[in-house]
Amino acid sequence: MAKRIYAFGGGTAEGSRDMKNELGGKGAGLAEMAAIGLPVPPGFTITTGTCAEWVAAGEKLPRGLDREIRAALGRVERLTGKVFGSRGNPLLLSVRSGARVSMPGMMDTVLNLGLNDEAVEGLAARSGNARFAWDSYRRFCAMFGDVVLGMKPERKEDRDPFAELLEAKKAALGVRHDHELPVEALKALVGEFKEAIRARKGIDLPADPFEQLLLSVGAVFRSWQNDRAIAYRKLNGIPGSWGTAVNVQAMVFGNLGEDSGTGVAFTRNPATGEDEFYGEFLVDAQGEDVVAGVRTPQKVSEMEARWPEIARQLLSVRSTLERHFREMQDIEFTVERGTLYVLQTRTGKRTGLAATRIAVEMAEKRLITREEALLRVEPEALNHLLRPIFDAERKAEAIRGGRLLARGLPAGPGAASGRVVFFAEDAQAWKARGEPVLLARHETSPEDIRGMAAAEGFLTAFGGMTSHAALVARQMGKVAIVGCEALSFDYHARTLTVATATGPRTFAEGDWLSIDGMAGEVIEGRLPTRPSEVVQVLVERSRAPEDAPTYRRFATLLGWADQARRLGVRANADQPDQADASVAFGAEGIGLCRTEHMFFGEGKIGPMREMIVAETEAQRRAALAKLLPLQREDFAGIFRHMAPRPVTVRTLDPPLHEFLPQDEAGVAELARATGQPVARVRERIAELHEANPMLGHRGCRLGISYPEITEMQARAIFEAACDVAAEGLAVRPEVMIPLVGAVAELDHQAATVRRVAEEVFRERGRRVRYLVGTMIEVPRGAVTAGKIAGTAEFFSFGTNDLTQTAFGLSRDDTGPVLAAYLEKEIWPVDPFVSIDREGVGALMELAVRGGRAARPGLKMGICGEHGGDPSSIEFCHQLGLDYVSCSPYRLPIARLAAAQAALREKAAARPAAKAAARRRTPRRPASRRRPRGKARRARR
Ligand code: ADP
Ligand code: MG
Ligand code: MG
């Protein structure tokens, strides 16, 4: 039978940091810290496998576990000199959950376990502090009642039932903070808590400590299955089968008076990444008081003045942990009567801004390698560096105009304006109606997670930089301000009141507010935003790189990525200004220039419409002749801006009626331009109507019906190419024929393109190198790719259409299907976001093999939306494509994702080298080495 319990504390540990799968992140971190000699209260971890056993046995603790727990408790008793269940000298425990990956606040914790009416007296006598003993007891009653007995709020407007009793008590006594309650009040509260449990649940709080312990262990396992844990797992793609571990640990007490306290800290600033110790603590407080925002805490940088010795020790813990884990850590600590304990360490969550800075600075200081730095930044996190900020002038004007309402802690960078709502459900509902919302609450909790995902940003009255709202903001990349104490809420009336310098101001649900997550400022009304520092340097060129430290770190990281990656990156861009932005963000070419977007430009839609409603070839040619010079200018602009890089131009693709006027005025205008009666134009529009345009007269089918359209486009491309080449620039056009399912379609179109190319070259007296290729975007094209490659000089996977046609589901109609399919886990992810490797991916693989067999070295890329999705990019790397093409603003993400794909492949290919690298890190007994199965899984 597998070992179920791993002990830690007293300078050693049975587990290690490599055992996250078995011990969960928290258990592995506690074991590692104990083993390297950090002050960790002793305890033990019950494995995630035991949780799986519990689930398999129909939610029952496995036989024999109670004996194993008793044995492990014996060790904790010896190390602490206290006795579990004793009246005179009771050992109290914390029971905490901890899954493989950190799920902040998702799972529940019970503190001070082991207390009952007798033990509380013993604790009071032994500590000489009755207030402390009863404070601990009331906390235990509330946590046990909540976590184990399920005493939750009944309606969304309600607060937690215990919190309500606590608030009432404070109000009755006229005190503001929990720790100001006198011992008599705490005793009364314990009575009221127990009474509330009896009234709602019909049972008594169990007095037997061991029964409390077993029930709590079961409750932690059950919390793995609660709604909010499930919601979090869904949002983050965590499998339900993993289970959670349980950590049972001796309590240490931060609520023992002025020489005690509790805190949380990051080894670097999690918002900016600055190399400074960053955290908060509360004097005379316990457990989650800091995170829950009971009082707004003090900064650890201010600890020096109060507790110089502890401050020094903490700094040394900080550097020990960073050197040992070679990563920014997020820690929890408690000070009990002047002695420091560390209760948790884990990799700290951070904003994209901070992630980039920390990775680059750690690599520059040689704490980690460049490869590690690249692997540490989530590609999506680079979005944070591109996120808008408020237009400085408009913001200053708003502030001068008295619209600055309040300041709070800047917990999530960026700028957001939205309509304020007070409940997570409302945030979801309003967002679904297309309204941008800000979620404002007293504090947030894990129940709010879905609503938080829907909001542009969050605003809370309580809590610090390590509160739930702040953590989630950093993780989701939302704008957030927390600990904004000027706010108060009336959830029933759905209003928010801000205490401003000029008196209180009240806002109702739906009012516009703006929040600056960099400055921590809450501003009345709606404000326009401006591009980020990176965009100012690269795209607007309104700021010099020397004055842009964020830009410089961004550029350094991406420079390393460019050295590491094998995939090329191109942009999907249709206009010269987009071409500029693409080059600025690192595009090595254009992978998709959609000609149809050009037709909506100045002066073009008119002739385009005339062309479409034309009834004879002669009429059509007349309209096309008007379009030719316009289109030639567009192409020339793009070629000029992209030179000497390749530009892939796709010939006309969408169904024609998409270009036609929908309104009466437009129809009348078109009638005037074509000299046709209005009725006839209307008739012609009706004729062009298609039952299912997505599968209709579009793509190469248009060019086959009306070769003169392809002719005009080819002429525009080659004339532009010759003109720009004549300016001395290198032009590399690649003409791409869409929606090809049979080689004969491509043959037809390619012949037209090549014929026109020769005509133009003759006329202009110069030649330009060019390619003719095709999109692979219908299953038949993928299956017959070998034949198609006989004509095509390149392939570009149009994975939007390929996904639609492979699934037989129109992307525009996925809404209702998608919601149900994701909910019921029929699809693991939205296949329009991330390539469905099993189906669509198999078609791509077939096409790659067929294409390269027929034409070795055939150039291949992807230009669907998936080209900017990190997981799809990794797949394209594995397929051996030459490049991915995505929208300009996703290029940084693509460059980093491509580098990561290459690095992961390299790591997988050299297990021997990897083992050697591991041997260089601190020695560890063989039994603690990472099992081989996991190493293999981790790579996937
Ligand atoms: P979370 O995963 O939400 O951070 P934890 O299990 O870490 O939950 O614990 C919740 C709170 O209880 C934390 O503030 C932690 O520091 C505190 N805590 C946990 N174990 C102990 C202990 N042995 N002694 C004192 N406080 C503890
Ligand atoms: Mg914790
Ligand atoms: Mg397509």
Side-chain angles (χ1 to χ4, degrees):
M1 192 194 63
K3 186 171 164 61
R4 289 199 187 109
I5 291 185
Y6 288 75
F8 58 83
T12 60
E14 293 179 326
S16 77
R17 68 169 170 193
D18 291 337
M19 293 184 65
K20 279 196 183 138
N21 289 1
E22 298 80 1
L23 304 182
K26 200 175 288 166
L30 285 167
E32 190 76 14
M33 287 198 295
I36 62 172
L38 289 175
V40 176
F44 54 88
T45 303
I46 308 175
T47 61
T48 54
T50 314
C51 181
E53 279 187 77
W54 177 85
V55 173
E59 312 210 334
K60 285 206 187 56
L61 294 180
R63 266 240 305 269
L65 183 67
D66 53 346
R67 255 178 294 117
E68 293 167 56
I69 290 178
R70 273 191 206 276
L73 269 178
R75 184 174 181 276
V76 180
E77 289 178 337
R78 279 194 301 284
L79 285 167
T80 56
K82 298 178 184 174
V83 180
F84 189 58
S86 119
R87 292 179 187 185
N89 183 20
L91 168 67
L92 302 191
L93 299 173
S94 83
V95 179
R96 327 158 68 183
S97 61
R100 271 197 221 182
V101 294
S102 93
M103 294 172 55
M106 282 294 133
M107 314 294 289
D108 296 305
T109 302
V110 180
L111 299 181
N112 311 313
L113 185 135
L115 279 176
N116 53 34
D117 292 351
E118 283 97 47
V120 71
E121 298 296 355
L123 189 65
R126 210 170 165 95
S127 64
N129 185 338
R131 216 203 72 81
F132 149 70
W134 285 92
D135 183 54
S136 302
Y137 196 20
R138 66 95 187 167
R139 289 171 189 271
F140 167 68
C141 295
M143 288 192 215
F144 194 90
D146 172 17
V147 177
V148 183
L149 304 177
M151 295 275 294
K152 304 279 182 197
E154 290 181 323
R155 291 168 307 160
K156 70 174 180 182
E157 285 85 3
D158 293 345
R159 287 193 71 184
D160 170 86
F162 300 111
E164 227 147 63
L165 290 169
L166 178 66
E167 289 308 318
K169 185 66 73 198
K170 287 195 287 189
L173 295 176
V175 304
R176 180 162 158 80
H177 295 123
D178 300 0
H179 70 303
E180 291 157 1
L181 286 170
V183 65
E184 288 315 317
L186 294 168
K187 284 185 182 174
L189 265 182
V190 166
E192 289 168 27
F193 283 4
K194 287 184 181 173
E195 188 45 49
I197 292 172
R198 212 171 291 127
R200 272 247 318 254
K201 297 286 162 182
I203 47 167
D204 282 324
L205 189 75
D208 174 28
F210 202 70
E211 186 187 345
Q212 293 174 356
L213 179 55
L214 291 185
L215 285 172
S216 302
V217 170
V220 171
F221 287 157
R222 199 170 316 116
S223 74
W224 177 253
Q225 308 281 27
N226 73 25
D227 290 347
R228 51 191 187 161
I230 291 170
Y232 185 90
R233 287 206 288 274
K234 278 232 168 90
L235 227 54
N236 292 278
I238 299 168
S241 61
W242 282 2
T244 178
V246 186
N247 297 290
V248 179
Q249 186 181 32
M251 281 298 297
V252 287
F253 302 102
N255 54 339
L256 264 167
E258 290 295 302
D259 56 355
S260 303
T262 185
V264 290
F266 291 87
T267 56
R268 298 189 185 217
N269 185 317
T272 64
E274 197 177 332
D275 188 0
E276 59 174 348
F277 193 41
Y278 193 89
E280 297 162 328
F281 73 105
L282 275 177
V283 175
D284 197 9
Q286 193 178 61
E288 307 202 290
D289 292 357
V290 182
V291 179
V294 172
R295 281 176 270 155
T296 297
Q298 280 177 275
K299 296 199 169 66
V300 287
S301 53
E302 294 159 10
M303 189 187 276
E304 181 72 36
R306 179 184 278 269
W307 295 331
E309 179 52 25
I310 297 288
R312 200 191 54 71
Q313 285 174 24
L314 258 181
L315 280 179
S316 130
V317 166
R318 172 198 181 207
S319 69
T320 303
L321 285 174
E322 269 216 351
R323 264 183 286 122
H324 187 73
F325 286 94
R326 302 163 66 241
E327 174 59 300
M328 188 263 252
Q329 299 290 301
D330 165 1
I331 65 171
E332 291 176 1
F333 61 90
T334 282
V335 177
E336 176 180 318
R337 292 194 161 150
T339 305
L340 172 69
Y341 294 93
V342 189
L343 296 175
Q344 186 175 325
T345 191
R346 62 182 174 199
T347 302
K349 292 258 179 336
R350 63 204 80 179
T351 62
L353 205 66
T356 307
R357 177 159 184 181
I358 291 170
V360 169
E361 289 185 351
M362 281 190 166
E364 282 173 342
K365 290 246 166 76
R366 308 222 179 274
L367 197 56
I368 58 175
T369 64
R370 286 181 179 184
E371 297 195 349
E372 284 171 309
L374 286 169
L375 288 166
R376 283 201 185 166
V377 180
E378 279 286 326
E380 290 286 348
L382 293 178
N383 265 334
H384 289 208
L385 282 73
L386 307 180
R387 270 226 306 258
I389 50 187
F390 284 129
D391 179 293
E393 268 170 41
R394 296 291 296 276
K395 188 178 141 186
E397 191 183 292
I399 290 176
R400 275 196 306 275
R403 283 162 57 195
L404 175 61
L405 294 171
R407 281 206 174 79
L409 302 170
S417 275
R419 305 182 65 176
V420 68
V421 297
F422 304 113
F423 298 102
E425 291 160 27
D426 298 329
Q428 281 178 276
W430 287 54
K431 166 80 180 203
R433 296 204 300 264
E435 299 271 13
V437 292
L438 296 182
L439 179 64
R441 291 191 58 80
H442 190 262
E443 76 262 296
T444 64
S445 73
E447 278 96 339
D448 300 327
I449 212 95
R450 291 175 204 236
M452 295 172 91
E456 306 299 313
F458 330 133
L459 176 59
T460 69
F462 272 68
M465 286 295 277
T466 47
S467 65
H468 179 260
L471 265 147
V472 174
R474 283 196 285 277
Q475 201 176 1
M476 290 186 178
K478 300 280 180 179
V479 183
I481 295 178
V482 301
C484 184
E485 293 183 343
L487 309 183
S488 56
F489 292 88
D490 184 337
Y491 286 153
H492 288 278
R494 294 176 185 249
T495 60
L496 156 66
T497 300
V498 191
T500 72
T502 56
R505 302 274 315 273
T506 297
F507 297 88
E509 182 177 86
D511 287 348
W512 282 92
L513 289 180
S514 297
I515 55 177
D516 183 331
M518 299 265 202
E521 291 162 338
V522 185
I523 298 158
E524 181 184 352
R526 198 175 180 173
L527 276 180
T529 53
R530 262 173 65 55
S532 72
E533 189 185 296
V534 170
V535 173
Q536 288 182 30
V537 174
L538 283 179
V539 183
E540 295 194 330
R541 304 217 174 83
S542 56
R543 193 197 271 246
E546 304 82 75
D547 308 329
T550 302
Y551 162 75
R552 286 212 315 275
R553 287 185 282 266
F554 169 88
T556 302
L557 189 78
L558 287 177
W560 297 343
D562 291 344
Q563 287 167 17
R565 68 188 160 88
R566 186 181 71 209
L567 271 176
V569 292
R570 293 196 185 188
N572 296 350
D574 316 322
Q575 261 130 35
D577 60 326
Q578 293 172 6
D580 268 352
S582 304
V583 171
F585 284 127
E588 293 152 357
I590 284 181
L592 175 62
C593 171
R594 297 176 170 94
T595 50
E596 60 269 21
H597 286 185
M598 296 174 172
F599 294 125
F600 287 101
E602 191 83 33
K604 280 170 249 179
I605 191 70
M608 181 67 183
R609 287 174 173 167
E610 290 169 34
M611 188 276 286
I612 294 169
V613 297
E615 305 200 38
T616 65
E617 188 182 323
Q619 284 171 354
R620 195 157 31 248
R621 284 193 182 276
L624 284 166
K626 293 191 209 166
L627 283 173
L628 175 67
L630 302 171
Q631 186 127 76
R632 183 175 56 221
E633 281 323 296
D634 284 334
F635 290 138
I638 289 183
F639 291 153
R640 225 172 261 131
H641 286 252
M642 290 307 293
R645 302 169 187 83
V647 176
T648 305
V649 180
R650 178 177 69 185
T651 53
L652 195 61
D653 179 52
L656 294 180
H657 59 85
E658 274 187 17
F659 299 96
L660 292 176
Q662 308 295 327
D663 55 326
E664 285 306 309
V667 173
E669 167 67 41
L670 185 51
R672 208 167 328 124
T674 53
Q676 304 254 21
V678 170
R680 177 60 203 137
V681 170
R682 232 184 255 131
E683 236 172 74
R684 181 75 184 126
I685 292 176
E687 278 166 25
L688 285 165
H689 175 80
E690 290 178 273
N692 193 342
M694 193 266 296
L695 297 175
H697 197 197
R698 55 167 291 213
C700 64
R701 298 159 196 168
L702 291 172
I704 290 170
S705 305
Y706 310 120
E708 53 279 12
I709 299 180
T710 308
E711 273 172 28
M712 181 281 285
Q713 293 202 295
R715 177 162 282 278
I717 291 169
F718 292 114
E719 288 183 357
C722 289
D723 290 351
V724 176
E727 295 163 16
L729 295 170
V731 192
R732 292 169 56 199
E734 303 177 344
V735 183
M736 180 160 78
I737 310 299
L739 218 73
V740 167
V743 69
E745 292 174 312
L746 180 62
D747 286 342
H748 179 279
Q749 290 292 287
T752 307
V753 172
R754 292 185 193 288
R755 175 174 49 78
V756 173
E758 289 308 319
E759 281 168 24
V760 173
F761 295 158
R762 243 191 335 271
E763 290 159 22
R764 303 276 162 136
R766 74 165 63 235
R767 301 191 68 83
V768 168
R769 252 189 335 134
Y770 71 96
L771 300 176
V772 183
T774 186
M775 294 192 72
I776 299 291
E777 55 182 340
V778 295
R780 198 184 188 286
V783 172
T784 61
K787 286 199 175 142
I788 291 175
T791 302
E793 294 171 303
F794 66 89
F795 282 176
S796 179
F797 289 97
T799 46
N800 299 339
D801 271 312
L802 193 58
T803 301
Q804 298 195 87
T805 49
F807 279 87
L809 174 66
S810 134
R811 181 164 62 145
D812 302 327
D813 297 317
T814 47
V817 178
L818 190 64
Y821 274 40
L822 293 180
E823 179 72 33
K824 299 186 174 139
E825 295 186 353
I826 289 176
W827 288 341
V829 287
D830 179 350
F832 290 99
V833 171
S834 227
I835 288 176
D836 154 49
R837 297 188 184 190
E838 191 176 73
V840 175
L843 285 168
M844 292 171 72
E845 221 176 315
L846 199 64
V848 168
R849 252 188 284 127
R852 292 234 164 104
R855 190 188 281 263
L858 176 69
K859 189 163 68 166
M860 294 195 225
I862 176 177
C863 63
E865 222 58 39
H866 299 96
D869 166 64
S871 152
S872 309
I873 290 170
E874 172 160 49
F875 182 67
C876 292
H877 172 92
Q878 291 164 355
L879 273 184
L881 299 195
D882 297 290
Y883 67 85
V884 296
S885 189
C886 59
S887 64
Y889 279 72
R890 291 199 70 84
L891 281 163
I893 295 171
R895 287 157 73 190
L896 182 55
Q900 293 187 347
L903 292 174
R904 282 200 208 98
E905 185 182 73
K906 211 162 114 189
R910 44 155 209 223
K914 215 167 110 188
R918 289 203 72 76
R919 252 176 271 127
R920 278 197 299 278
T921 59
R923 294 138 281 118
R924 192 170 297 120
S927 65
R928 295 195 200 151
R929 252 179 238 138
R930 171 200 281 256
R932 283 169 60 218
K934 183 199 155 186
R936 218 172 302 126
R937 242 171 296 133
R939 246 177 269 132
R940 258 190 237 141

